[in-house]
Amino acid sequence: MEDKRILYVSSEVVPYLAENEVSLMSYDVPKMINDQGGQIRIFMPRYGNINERRHQLHEVIRLSGMNLVVNDLDMPLIIKVASIPKERIQVYFIDNDEYFKRKATFSDEEGVLYPDNDERAIFFAKGVVETVKKLNWVPDIIHVHGWMASLLPIYMKHYYKDEALFSETKIVTSVYGQSFEGTLDSEMINKIKFDNIPHEAITDIEIPNYENLIKAAINHSDAVVIASENITPSLTKYIESLGIPFLPFTSKDKFAEAYTSFYKNMLA
Protein backbone atom coordinates (compact mmCIF):
# COMPACT_ATOMS: atom_id res chain seq x y z
CA MET A 1 0.00 0.00 0.00
CA GLU A 2 3.03 2.24 -0.52
CA ASP A 3 1.98 5.91 -0.87
CA LYS A 4 -1.74 5.12 -1.04
CA ARG A 5 -3.77 7.65 0.93
CA ILE A 6 -6.39 6.26 3.27
CA LEU A 7 -8.63 8.36 5.48
CA TYR A 8 -10.03 6.55 8.52
CA VAL A 9 -13.17 8.10 10.01
CA SER A 10 -14.22 6.47 13.25
CA SER A 11 -16.60 6.86 16.19
CA GLU A 12 -13.90 5.63 18.58
CA VAL A 13 -10.14 5.02 18.48
CA VAL A 14 -7.70 3.66 21.07
CA PRO A 15 -5.72 4.96 22.94
CA TYR A 16 -8.11 7.92 23.28
CA LEU A 17 -11.13 5.85 24.36
CA ALA A 18 -11.63 2.47 26.00
CA GLU A 19 -10.90 -0.71 24.09
CA ASN A 20 -13.76 -2.28 22.18
CA GLU A 21 -14.18 -3.81 18.75
CA VAL A 22 -14.56 -0.48 16.92
CA SER A 23 -11.84 1.44 18.77
CA LEU A 24 -9.28 -1.37 18.43
CA MET A 25 -9.82 -1.93 14.70
CA SER A 26 -9.79 1.84 14.16
CA TYR A 27 -6.23 1.73 15.48
CA ASP A 28 -5.01 -1.65 14.18
CA VAL A 29 -5.98 -1.15 10.53
CA PRO A 30 -4.43 2.32 10.11
CA LYS A 31 -1.28 1.17 11.93
CA MET A 32 -0.98 -1.78 9.57
CA ILE A 33 -1.31 0.43 6.47
CA ASN A 34 1.08 2.98 7.98
CA ASP A 35 3.64 0.22 8.53
CA GLN A 36 3.29 -0.70 4.84
CA GLY A 37 4.21 2.81 3.76
CA GLY A 38 0.68 4.06 3.16
CA GLN A 39 -0.24 7.66 3.98
CA ILE A 40 -3.03 7.79 6.52
CA ARG A 41 -5.12 10.22 8.51
CA ILE A 42 -7.56 9.35 11.29
CA PHE A 43 -10.56 11.48 12.26
CA MET A 44 -12.75 11.02 15.34
CA PRO A 45 -14.99 13.21 17.54
CA ARG A 46 -13.36 15.02 20.46
CA TYR A 47 -15.61 13.69 23.21
CA GLY A 48 -15.37 15.38 26.62
CA ASN A 49 -14.08 12.19 28.24
CA ILE A 50 -10.85 12.30 26.21
CA ASN A 51 -8.06 13.58 28.40
CA GLU A 52 -6.55 16.41 26.36
CA ARG A 53 -3.54 16.92 28.58
CA ARG A 54 -2.55 13.26 28.78
CA HIS A 55 -2.93 12.76 25.04
CA GLN A 56 -1.45 16.16 24.16
CA LEU A 57 -4.27 17.42 21.99
CA HIS A 58 -3.85 20.91 20.64
CA GLU A 59 -6.04 23.11 18.49
CA VAL A 60 -5.07 23.68 14.86
CA ILE A 61 -5.98 27.32 14.43
CA ARG A 62 -5.63 27.34 10.63
CA LEU A 63 -8.20 24.53 10.35
CA SER A 64 -10.62 25.78 13.01
CA GLY A 65 -12.93 28.76 12.84
CA MET A 66 -15.51 27.89 10.21
CA ASN A 67 -19.18 27.36 11.03
CA LEU A 68 -21.10 24.29 9.89
CA VAL A 69 -24.86 24.46 9.43
CA VAL A 70 -26.78 21.69 11.19
CA ASN A 71 -30.56 21.85 10.84
CA ASP A 72 -30.41 25.60 10.09
CA LEU A 73 -28.13 26.38 13.06
CA ASP A 74 -24.57 27.68 12.72
CA MET A 75 -22.22 25.53 14.80
CA PRO A 76 -18.52 26.49 15.19
CA LEU A 77 -16.01 23.85 14.11
CA ILE A 78 -12.88 23.37 16.23
CA ILE A 79 -10.12 21.05 15.01
CA LYS A 80 -7.62 19.50 17.39
CA VAL A 81 -4.79 17.13 16.61
CA ALA A 82 -2.62 14.62 18.45
CA SER A 83 -0.10 11.94 17.55
CA ILE A 84 -0.37 8.32 18.60
CA PRO A 85 2.82 7.71 20.61
CA LYS A 86 5.59 5.82 18.79
CA GLU A 87 3.49 5.37 15.63
CA ARG A 88 3.86 8.72 13.84
CA ILE A 89 0.13 8.63 13.19
CA GLN A 90 -1.78 11.90 13.35
CA VAL A 91 -5.32 11.88 14.68
CA TYR A 92 -7.63 14.81 13.98
CA PHE A 93 -10.45 15.54 16.41
CA ILE A 94 -13.72 17.19 15.36
CA ASP A 95 -14.87 19.39 18.23
CA ASN A 96 -17.72 21.69 19.14
CA ASP A 97 -18.61 22.73 22.69
CA GLU A 98 -22.34 22.24 22.20
CA TYR A 99 -22.01 18.70 20.86
CA PHE A 100 -18.88 17.21 22.40
CA LYS A 101 -18.13 18.92 25.71
CA ARG A 102 -20.07 16.42 27.87
CA LYS A 103 -18.08 13.78 29.72
CA ALA A 104 -19.22 10.69 27.84
CA THR A 105 -19.43 9.40 24.29
CA PHE A 106 -22.97 8.45 23.23
CA SER A 107 -25.15 8.29 26.35
CA ASP A 108 -25.55 9.79 29.84
CA GLU A 109 -24.81 8.15 33.21
CA GLU A 110 -28.13 6.31 33.07
CA GLY A 111 -27.24 4.82 29.70
CA VAL A 112 -29.80 7.00 27.87
CA LEU A 113 -28.67 8.07 24.39
CA TYR A 114 -28.04 11.79 24.04
CA PRO A 115 -31.04 13.33 22.26
CA ASP A 116 -28.80 15.21 19.82
CA ASN A 117 -26.72 12.21 18.68
CA ASP A 118 -28.23 12.65 15.21
CA GLU A 119 -26.99 16.24 14.98
CA ARG A 120 -23.61 15.22 16.37
CA ALA A 121 -23.31 12.66 13.56
CA ILE A 122 -24.24 15.27 10.92
CA PHE A 123 -21.73 17.74 12.37
CA PHE A 124 -19.02 15.06 12.49
CA ALA A 125 -19.55 14.02 8.85
CA LYS A 126 -19.45 17.59 7.57
CA GLY A 127 -16.55 18.51 9.84
CA VAL A 128 -14.39 15.67 8.53
CA VAL A 129 -14.97 16.55 4.87
CA GLU A 130 -14.50 20.29 5.35
CA THR A 131 -11.23 19.69 7.21
CA VAL A 132 -9.90 17.30 4.56
CA LYS A 133 -10.74 19.95 1.95
CA LYS A 134 -8.75 22.53 3.92
CA LEU A 135 -5.82 20.10 4.20
CA ASN A 136 -6.09 19.63 0.41
CA TRP A 137 -5.30 15.98 1.00
CA VAL A 138 -6.93 13.66 -1.53
CA PRO A 139 -7.72 10.20 -0.10
CA ASP A 140 -7.75 7.16 -2.39
CA ILE A 141 -10.03 5.42 0.12
CA ILE A 142 -12.20 6.66 2.97
CA HIS A 143 -12.80 3.86 5.50
CA VAL A 144 -15.67 4.41 7.94
CA HIS A 145 -15.90 2.71 11.36
CA GLY A 146 -18.73 2.95 13.90
CA TRP A 147 -22.24 4.36 13.75
CA MET A 148 -21.33 7.94 14.73
CA ALA A 149 -19.42 8.06 11.42
CA SER A 150 -22.17 6.37 9.40
CA LEU A 151 -23.50 9.54 7.75
CA LEU A 152 -20.20 10.27 6.04
CA PRO A 153 -20.86 8.02 2.99
CA ILE A 154 -24.29 9.66 2.53
CA TYR A 155 -22.86 13.18 2.64
CA MET A 156 -20.01 12.21 0.31
CA LYS A 157 -22.37 10.82 -2.34
CA HIS A 158 -24.87 13.68 -2.21
CA TYR A 159 -23.85 16.86 -0.36
CA TYR A 160 -20.23 16.72 -1.61
CA LYS A 161 -20.85 14.94 -4.90
CA ASP A 162 -19.52 17.82 -7.00
CA GLU A 163 -16.24 18.19 -5.07
CA ALA A 164 -13.52 17.51 -7.63
CA LEU A 165 -11.11 16.65 -4.80
CA PHE A 166 -12.99 13.40 -4.12
CA SER A 167 -13.91 12.39 -7.67
CA GLU A 168 -11.73 9.24 -7.56
CA THR A 169 -12.17 8.45 -3.84
CA LYS A 170 -13.68 5.08 -2.88
CA ILE A 171 -15.70 4.63 0.31
CA VAL A 172 -15.54 1.51 2.49
CA THR A 173 -17.79 0.96 5.50
CA SER A 174 -16.91 -1.53 8.25
CA VAL A 175 -19.95 -3.15 9.84
CA TYR A 176 -19.76 -4.06 13.52
CA GLY A 177 -22.02 -5.92 15.92
CA GLN A 178 -21.48 -3.17 18.48
CA SER A 179 -24.68 -1.12 18.32
CA PHE A 180 -27.06 0.96 20.43
CA GLU A 181 -30.52 0.28 21.82
CA GLY A 182 -33.55 2.16 20.57
CA THR A 183 -33.51 4.96 18.01
CA LEU A 184 -32.03 8.37 17.48
CA ASP A 185 -34.25 11.47 17.09
CA SER A 186 -37.23 10.76 14.82
CA GLU A 187 -36.55 14.09 13.07
CA MET A 188 -33.13 12.88 11.94
CA ILE A 189 -34.23 12.25 8.35
CA ASN A 190 -35.58 15.80 8.05
CA LYS A 191 -32.35 17.27 9.42
CA ILE A 192 -30.41 15.37 6.75
CA LYS A 193 -32.91 16.41 4.05
CA PHE A 194 -32.29 20.02 5.09
CA ASP A 195 -28.93 19.58 3.30
CA ASN A 196 -30.76 18.78 0.03
CA ILE A 197 -30.19 15.06 0.37
CA PRO A 198 -33.11 13.34 -1.40
CA HIS A 199 -35.64 11.47 0.71
CA GLU A 200 -35.49 8.35 -1.49
CA ALA A 201 -31.74 8.03 -0.79
CA ILE A 202 -32.25 7.78 2.97
CA THR A 203 -35.63 6.08 3.50
CA ASP A 204 -33.89 3.64 5.89
CA ILE A 205 -33.41 6.52 8.32
CA GLU A 206 -37.17 7.08 8.69
CA ILE A 207 -36.63 4.80 11.70
CA PRO A 208 -33.12 5.76 12.84
CA ASN A 209 -32.06 2.64 14.72
CA TYR A 210 -28.60 1.11 14.52
CA GLU A 211 -29.32 -1.35 11.72
CA ASN A 212 -31.03 1.24 9.53
CA LEU A 213 -28.19 3.74 9.96
CA ILE A 214 -25.70 1.08 8.89
CA LYS A 215 -27.87 0.11 5.91
CA ALA A 216 -27.96 3.74 4.79
CA ALA A 217 -24.16 3.91 5.06
CA ILE A 218 -23.73 0.66 3.13
CA ASN A 219 -26.05 1.91 0.38
CA HIS A 220 -23.69 4.82 -0.21
CA SER A 221 -20.44 2.83 0.00
CA ASP A 222 -18.35 1.27 -2.75
CA ALA A 223 -17.41 -1.72 -0.60
CA VAL A 224 -18.11 -3.21 2.82
CA VAL A 225 -16.01 -4.95 5.47
CA ILE A 226 -17.78 -7.29 7.90
CA ALA A 227 -15.75 -6.43 10.99
CA SER A 228 -17.56 -8.54 13.63
CA GLU A 229 -18.35 -12.19 13.93
CA ASN A 230 -21.68 -11.32 15.52
CA ILE A 231 -23.47 -8.99 13.13
CA THR A 232 -27.16 -9.79 12.70
CA PRO A 233 -28.20 -12.31 10.03
CA SER A 234 -30.45 -9.63 8.50
CA LEU A 235 -27.50 -7.27 8.01
CA THR A 236 -25.37 -10.07 6.57
CA LYS A 237 -28.14 -10.97 4.13
CA TYR A 238 -28.59 -7.32 3.19
CA ILE A 239 -24.89 -6.85 2.43
CA GLU A 240 -24.83 -10.02 0.32
CA SER A 241 -27.92 -8.92 -1.61
CA LEU A 242 -26.40 -5.63 -2.79
CA GLY A 243 -23.80 -7.13 -5.08
CA ILE A 244 -21.04 -4.75 -4.01
CA PRO A 245 -17.58 -6.02 -2.99
CA PHE A 246 -17.44 -7.15 0.63
CA LEU A 247 -14.80 -8.68 2.84
CA PRO A 248 -16.15 -11.43 5.13
CA PHE A 249 -15.13 -11.41 8.78
CA THR A 250 -11.41 -12.12 9.15
CA SER A 251 -9.74 -13.05 12.41
CA LYS A 252 -7.13 -10.74 13.90
CA ASP A 253 -4.17 -12.94 12.94
CA LYS A 254 -5.15 -12.83 9.25
CA PHE A 255 -6.71 -9.41 8.83
CA ALA A 256 -3.57 -7.58 7.58
CA GLU A 257 -3.27 -9.64 4.42
CA ALA A 258 -7.03 -9.67 3.84
CA TYR A 259 -7.48 -5.89 4.23
CA THR A 260 -4.46 -5.07 2.08
CA SER A 261 -5.65 -7.31 -0.73
CA PHE A 262 -9.20 -5.88 -0.42
CA TYR A 263 -7.95 -2.31 -0.68
CA LYS A 264 -5.75 -3.14 -3.68
CA ASN A 265 -8.68 -4.74 -5.50
CA MET A 266 -10.77 -1.62 -4.88
CA LEU A 267 -8.09 0.61 -6.37
CA ALA A 268 -7.28 -1.68 -9.32
Side-chain angles (χ1 to χ4, degrees):
M1 295 302 293
E2 188 87 37
D3 292 332
K4 293 300 179 194
R5 293 181 169 195
I6 305 184
L7 171 64
Y8 292 92
V9 183
S10 180
S11 298
E12 305 165 79
V13 183
V14 294
Y16 304 104
L17 292 169
E19 292 187 1
N20 59 42
E21 214 167 27
V22 175
S23 65
L24 283 166
M25 285 308 278
S26 299
Y27 168 81
D28 288 340
V29 182
K31 180 186 181 306
M32 178 264 294
I33 296 299
N34 194 53
D35 290 347
Q36 292 178 11
Q39 297 182 42
I40 64 155
R41 298 279 188 280
I42 302 174
F43 277 75
M44 68 178 290
R46 207 293 294 177
Y47 306 104
N49 56 343
I50 294 172
N51 188 317
E52 292 204 7
R53 183 181 289 175
R54 184 192 312 146
H55 295 296
Q56 300 182 344
L57 272 68
H58 60 271
E59 185 175 347
V60 188
I61 304 297
R62 70 185 177 88
L63 297 175
S64 298
M66 82 172 78
N67 280 0
L68 303 179
V69 178
V70 178
N71 198 30
D72 207 18
L73 285 174
D74 275 4
M75 307 301 283
L77 173 64
I78 301 163
I79 303 298
K80 292 175 179 168
V81 72
S83 292
I84 295 179
K86 301 179 187 165
E87 296 300 338
R88 291 189 177 170
I89 294 174
Q90 277 202 316
V91 181
Y92 291 83
F93 296 83
I94 300 294
D95 198 3
N96 169 274
D97 285 350
E98 185 77 23
Y99 288 139
F100 296 112
K101 193 90 166 172
R102 61 206 76 159
K103 293 289 183 189
T105 48
F106 312 125
S107 51
D108 64 21
E109 293 151 357
E110 310 295 317
V112 177
L113 287 170
Y114 290 126
D116 61 353
N117 273 338
D118 59 331
E119 294 183 14
R120 297 166 94 208
I122 293 170
F123 184 87
F124 181 50
K126 285 182 165 183
V128 169
V129 183
E130 294 296 347
T131 306
V132 173
K133 280 165 59 181
K134 272 199 172 180
L135 289 168
N136 201 28
W137 188 79
V138 185
D140 297 298
I141 292 173
I142 298 175
H143 194 157
V144 174
H145 297 259
W147 66 264
M148 183 63 85
S150 63
L151 297 186
L152 190 116
I154 297 165
Y155 274 80
M156 286 293 295
K157 298 291 185 182
H158 295 285
Y159 191 76
Y160 293 105
K161 68 178 187 293
D162 297 325
E163 288 286 348
L165 194 70
F166 304 113
S167 60
E168 302 295 317
T169 301
K170 305 286 190 196
I171 300 173
V172 185
T173 293
S174 274
V175 179
Y176 292 88
Q178 186 182 323
S179 64
F180 59 83
E181 296 293 320
T183 64
L184 303 188
D185 184 14
S186 60
E187 283 297 303
M188 182 175 190
I189 191 167
N190 293 322
K191 294 172 189 178
I192 297 171
K193 281 163 61 181
F194 179 83
D195 290 319
N196 295 318
I197 292 173
H199 185 98
E200 61 272 16
I202 50 172
T203 52
D204 288 308
I205 300 177
E206 285 173 0
I207 301 172
N209 59 25
Y210 173 76
E211 189 152 316
N212 287 342
L213 275 184
I214 299 306
K215 281 181 178 176
I218 292 166
N219 289 341
H220 292 87
S221 299
D222 299 296
V224 176
V225 172
I226 298 177
S228 295
E229 269 187 292
N230 61 336
I231 72 166
T232 62
S234 56
L235 259 181
T236 305
K237 201 170 172 184
Y238 187 75
I239 292 164
E240 290 170 347
S241 75
L242 290 177
I244 63 172
F246 75 92
L247 179 66
F249 176 73
T250 313
S251 60
K252 186 123 184 204
D253 55 330
K254 296 183 181 145
F255 91 90
E257 193 180 328
Y259 276 61
T260 305
S261 164
F262 191 66
Y263 283 156
K264 284 179 177 171
N265 287 339
M266 285 189 67
L267 297 172

